[in-house]
Structure formats: C-alpha cells, structure tokens
Amino acid sequence: MAMENVSSKIKHAIFEFAIDIKNIGMADPRRITHSLKVALAITMVSMIYFLQLFYNSIGNAGIWAILTVVMVLEYTVGATLSKGLNRGFATLLAGVLGVGTESFADLFGSTVKPIVLGLLLFIIVALATFSRFIPNVKKRYDYGVVIFILTFALVAVSGYRVDKIVKLAHQRLTTIVFSCTTCVLISMFVCPVWAGEELHKLIVNNLEKLAKFLEGSLYIKCAISAMHKPSYTCACICMANYNVYSFSIHNFVTFCSISNEQYLDAQEIFAWWEIGHGKFRFRHPWKKYLEIGVYTRQCVCHVEAFSRHLKAKYEVLISFFLQMYAHTRMHIYAPSEFQKAVKASCMKMSLEVGKALKELGSSMRLMIYPSGSVVHIENCRKLLDELKSTLKVSMVAECDILETISVITAASILVEIIKCVETISKVIEELSKQAHFKRPKDITSDKTEEPHFLNRDSPKKPVEDGKNEKLITITVLLDDGIGS
C-alpha cells in the first residue's frame, strides 16, 4: 500500500508539472519560440568546435562563443541589443587596454613589471567599478562595465604568463563578436519580440483597464437604488457585484506595484536600444511612457481609495438589509435630496472620466492624436463646478454634518482622479507630438459645403422644423438683367 501511495503521488506530481508547463506555453506561445531561438543560436556557434576549419583558426577560445550566447540572447530584441553591444564594445575596449597595459609594463623590465601591472590593474578596475554608481552608466551600460572589468583582468593577468597575448585577445574578440552578431540577427529576424511594442501595449492595457474600473463604479448606483426596495436578495446581489469589483481593483493595484514599475523601467531601457520598427521610429520618446505609467499608478491609488470608501457604504447597506430580513423594527432609510444630487454628479463624473481614459487608450493603441478625450474632460470640469455649487448650497441649508462629510470624501477622491486624468491627457498629447502621431481626418471637411446663394435653377432644400407638414420647395429664377 505504501508503495502504491508513493507511486500515485509521483504520477500526480508529474501530471501537475505537465499541466503547469502546458499553461505556461499556452499563456504566451512566444516563450516556446524563444527557447527554440536560444537552441538555434547555441547550435550555430557550436560549429566552431564541430567543424575542424573553424577550430584550427579559433581553437579553445570558441568556448567564449557559447558562453556569450547564453549571456546575451534575451527574450526581447532590445535586451539582446543592449547586452550584445555592451559586451562587444566592452570586450574590444578591454582587450585593447589590456594589451596596452601589458606592453606598457614591459618597458620597466621583468623585475618591476609585476608591480606596474598590478598597480595599473588596481587603478583601472577601481575606476571602472566606481563608474557603475553614475546613474546614466548604471542605467544603460552596467552590463558592459562588468564585462569590461572581467575581460580586462583576464587579458592583463593572463598576458603575464602567455607570450602570444595579441593572438589570444584576437581569438576571444572574434568569437564574442561572432556570437553577439548571431544573437542579434536571430533575435531581430526570427519571430522578433520588441521591447518597445511590449511597453506600448502594457501602457495601453493599463489605461483601458482603469477606464473599465471607473465605469464599474456604477455598482454604487445599484446599492443606492436598492435602498428604495429593501430585499435580502438585492443586498446579496449588490455585495456580489462589489466583491467582483473590489477583487479586480486589488489585482490591478497589485499589478501596478513597485515590481511593475521596475519592469516598465527595464522595458524603457531596452526599447532605447532598439532600431525603428513598425510604427515606432528611431529614438521614439519612450520616457513619456514612464510618465504615463506613474500617473496611471497614482490614479489607480485614488480608485482604490474610492473603492474602500464604497466598501463601507456596502457594509452598512448589507447590515441594514440583514436586519430587515430578521424582522427588526427600524425605519427604511431613504437618501436625501442632497445625496441624490451629489450622487448623480459623482456618477456622471465617474462615467466621463472612464470615457476619457478609454479615448486616451484608444488613441495610443491606434497612435493618433488624442482629440476625443477633450470633450469628456471638459464635461468633468463642468460637473465639478456643479458639484461645488451643490456643496455650497448644502452648507447653507445646514444638512447633516456626517452625511456631508461622507459625500465630500467621495467627491474629493473623484476630483483627484480627474486631475490625474488631465495630467495623463497632457502627457499623451506631448507624446503624440514628439512621436508624430497621425491626426484623425476631419470627416466634415470632405463634405462639400452648400453655397450661401442660390444658383440658377437650383432648388434650396428647406430645413425641417420637426412637424409633419407638407413642405413646398420654391425655385427662384434669377434674371440676367438684374443688378445691371
């Protein structure tokens, strides 16, 4: 029995592992393609060892080609270009400097040479390591500096015992350049995955998800409307709707966390290395995407605060319905006129903000100038002015202070959300100008305008006034002699 249990557990573990592998591959088939690309690159550079012709010219230095492929070939083209160019130039610079250091130390004789070589090695490695703390170097060239330190130390130290140092440096540089070129070509021309395109899609998806969440705030309408019809079933439906809404908000906030911010920064760095591809030109303003990501996260934080505020309202509502269901004596709560007015303004603002974000996401997806969001943002401003007027009136009317504070809290959060959306709109407008987004064609400009004056024998179409009356068209004939 014990052996059967162990064998069944092993089979179950293998089955679960196979299911996980299948799910990973189905979630993004490009991962399977990337695995095949790495295998192809390693097989190609291994020809240095397999073919005698290449082995005679390269020798044991061919092992550097395989190591380079493993270290350089990444998932995206930008990451591969970043590591490939960093490794290639760092190896070239370190090789030249290592040979130069070796030659310079030979001038002092065999007795003093180890001291001079060690001193130069200490100074250059210290300076190179310190350069890694410089922000710009750390951001884009950190991998190259690490390869420079490694290659320079190997060339300088091994040159002390190896007579043909120039030949050794040439072999290593040749194999590294060959492997880096192989990685770059395979990454760019065999099912390429562009870091810039991934960054663009991620920002667009975040905007569209946020727009859906803001439109999802309609669940509060369900809650307030349910107060007029006390029902245990209605209460359960409201709480179920809120649970789905709150769970989605929580997942989205987690997705826009610090780890996601670091991922965006990495994608922006890799996209900086990429050449022009698709709709993205060379030197595309990728930094603007990071700004959009920052303001999107701020907006998400405000949305989460708004959802927490709704949660308290829902809990009160559910408690009310449960007590009603238990036949507890209490008065049916009905929202005041003040709550109704403010609720209507908040709902309209939430919908307009969601529509504005949807328009901004759509304009970025299609890479056109964001002209459609201006109307919705302007509507939000008008609704905000109306809300301020309503609040001022409520203060004069001396409404319930607790009721007023609760409403003001929800309204203030919506105001912060509107400010974030306005900032996002401005950044996207700047991005559209720098990236030369296409402007949407004015459909009305294609239509021929009607003449201001009637031409000869041309009837003028009358304007309908909305009444079902028989319209008579009058044709006016102009005499050639008029006006002479």
Side-chain angles (χ1 to χ4, degrees):
M1 293 293 295
M3 293 296 296
E4 292 180 357
N5 292 334
V6 172
S7 61
S8 63
K9 289 182 179 180
I10 294 175
K11 291 180 180 179
H12 183 69
I14 294 174
F15 180 76
E16 288 185 347
F17 179 75
I19 293 296
D20 292 337
I21 295 298
K22 180 182 177 181
N23 292 335
I24 293 173
M26 293 179 64
D28 191 355
R30 294 178 300 179
R31 297 170 182 171
I32 301 176
T33 306
H34 176 68
S35 303
L36 298 177
K37 287 161 64 175
V38 174
L40 175 63
I42 291 181
T43 303
M44 290 180 64
V45 299
S46 298
M47 293 296 108
I48 296 176
Y49 266 77
F50 295 158
L51 300 179
Q52 189 67 30
L53 177 63
F54 292 107
Y55 184 79
N56 292 335
S57 58
I58 300 299
N60 292 326
I63 195 65
W64 286 84
I66 300 176
L67 294 175
T68 301
V69 170
V70 175
M71 298 296 295
V72 169
L73 189 54
E74 294 288 342
Y75 181 68
T76 61
V77 177
T80 303
L81 283 170
S82 173
K83 285 193 171 184
L85 294 176
N86 270 285
R87 189 177 183 89
F89 284 108
T91 303
L92 176 62
L93 180 60
V96 173
L97 193 59
V99 173
T101 301
E102 183 70 23
S103 302
F104 179 76
D106 287 335
L107 300 177
F108 295 90
S110 58
T111 305
V112 188
K113 179 180 178 180
I115 300 175
V116 176
L117 191 60
L119 182 61
L120 292 175
L121 182 64
F122 175 82
I123 295 173
I124 293 175
V125 171
L127 292 175
T129 304
F130 180 79
S131 67
R132 297 182 65 191
F133 295 100
I134 302 174
N136 291 333
V137 177
K138 178 71 175 178
K139 185 177 182 180
R140 305 192 187 280
Y141 309 106
D142 184 69
Y143 180 75
V145 175
V146 173
I147 296 300
F148 170 81
I149 295 173
L150 175 63
T151 305
F152 172 76
L154 290 176
V155 172
V157 173
S158 61
Y160 183 74
R161 298 294 183 182
V162 178
D163 296 333
K164 299 180 181 180
I165 182 62
V166 177
K167 182 179 179 181
L168 177 63
H170 177 265
Q171 289 178 348
R172 292 182 178 178
L173 178 62
T174 303
T175 54
I176 290 175
V177 170
F178 170 73
S179 56
C180 286
T181 304
T182 302
C183 292
V184 170
L185 293 177
I186 290 178
S187 179
M188 290 179 61
F189 297 103
V190 180
C191 300
V193 179
W194 301 94
E197 187 175 351
E198 293 294 309
L199 177 62
H200 181 83
K201 290 181 179 178
L202 181 61
I203 295 297
V204 170
N205 290 335
N206 287 349
L207 290 175
E208 292 179 348
K209 287 180 181 178
L210 185 56
K212 291 181 180 179
F213 291 147
L214 286 170
E215 292 178 349
S217 62
L218 287 170
Y219 292 130
I220 189 175
K221 186 175 182 180
C222 174
I224 297 177
S225 300
M227 292 180 179
H228 298 281
K229 299 177 181 179
S231 170
Y232 179 75
T233 304
C234 187
C236 293
I237 293 174
C238 291
M239 180 54 75
N241 287 337
Y242 176 75
N243 288 336
V244 174
Y245 177 71
S246 179
F247 181 73
S248 301
I249 285 288
H250 177 71
N251 289 343
F252 191 50
V253 171
T254 304
F255 182 71
C256 293
S257 61
I258 298 177
S259 60
N260 181 254
E261 183 178 359
Q262 294 174 351
Y263 176 76
L264 289 179
D265 291 338
Q267 291 298 100
E268 186 271 331
I269 294 173
F270 297 147
W272 183 82
W273 287 93
E274 292 179 347
I275 60 176
H277 58 279
K279 297 181 180 180
F280 307 101
R281 301 183 180 184
F282 184 66
R283 294 304 181 191
H284 191 78
W286 300 112
K287 289 185 178 181
K288 291 297 179 182
Y289 287 85
L290 297 183
E291 295 183 23
I292 297 173
V294 170
Y295 294 120
T296 303
R297 283 189 291 274
Q298 292 181 4
C299 192
V300 168
C301 292
H302 294 310
V303 173
E304 184 187 22
F306 187 69
S307 68
R308 291 180 183 275
H309 182 72
L310 295 184
K311 183 179 181 180
K313 296 294 182 183
Y314 270 97
E315 289 176 349
V316 173
L317 179 63
I318 294 303
S319 176
F320 169 77
F321 282 135
L322 289 176
Q323 293 180 22
M324 287 290 298
Y325 185 73
H327 304 286
T328 303
R329 291 183 180 179
M330 61 181 303
H331 296 286
I332 297 177
Y333 173 76
S336 63
E337 295 297 328
F338 169 68
Q339 277 189 335
K340 291 179 181 178
V342 174
K343 182 211 70 171
S345 299
C346 291
M347 289 302 305
K348 290 179 181 178
M349 280 194 293
S350 178
L351 288 175
E352 291 295 333
V353 171
K355 291 178 181 178
L357 283 173
K358 185 180 292 184
E359 289 289 340
L360 293 173
S362 177
S363 64
M364 284 196 64
R365 181 180 295 276
L366 301 176
M367 299 188 73
I368 59 176
Y369 190 82
S371 57
S373 61
V374 178
V375 178
H376 300 295
I377 294 177
E378 188 63 28
N379 291 337
C380 290
R381 293 171 182 170
K382 293 179 181 179
L383 292 171
L384 185 58
D385 294 336
E386 294 178 3
L387 181 60
K388 290 180 181 179
S389 302
T390 305
L391 292 176
K392 289 180 181 179
V393 173
S394 68
M395 294 300 181
V396 176
E398 296 182 356
C399 294
D400 184 7
I401 186 65
L402 295 178
E403 177 186 6
T404 306
I405 292 175
S406 177
V407 173
I408 290 176
T409 301
S412 62
I413 296 175
L414 278 175
V415 170
E416 294 298 326
I417 294 175
I418 293 173
K419 290 181 180 179
C420 286
V421 174
E422 290 179 351
T423 308
I424 293 173
S425 178
K426 292 178 181 178
V427 177
I428 293 179
E429 287 181 4
E430 296 175 359
L431 171 65
S432 63
K433 293 177 181 178
Q434 296 180 12
H436 305 287
F437 283 3
K438 295 181 180 180
R439 291 183 176 271
K441 295 181 180 180
D442 188 6
I443 301 176
T444 59
S445 62
D446 298 335
K447 298 181 180 179
T448 57
E449 297 182 356
E450 294 183 354
H452 297 286
F453 299 98
L454 293 175
N455 296 328
R456 181 188 303 272
D457 300 332
S458 61
K460 181 68 176 179
K461 184 179 180 180
V463 180
E464 296 182 0
D465 58 355
K467 298 180 180 179
N468 296 326
E469 296 180 357
K470 186 176 181 180
L471 300 176
I472 301 175
T473 302
I474 300 176
T475 303
V476 180
L477 301 178
L478 297 179
D479 191 1
D480 294 338
I482 296 178
S484 58

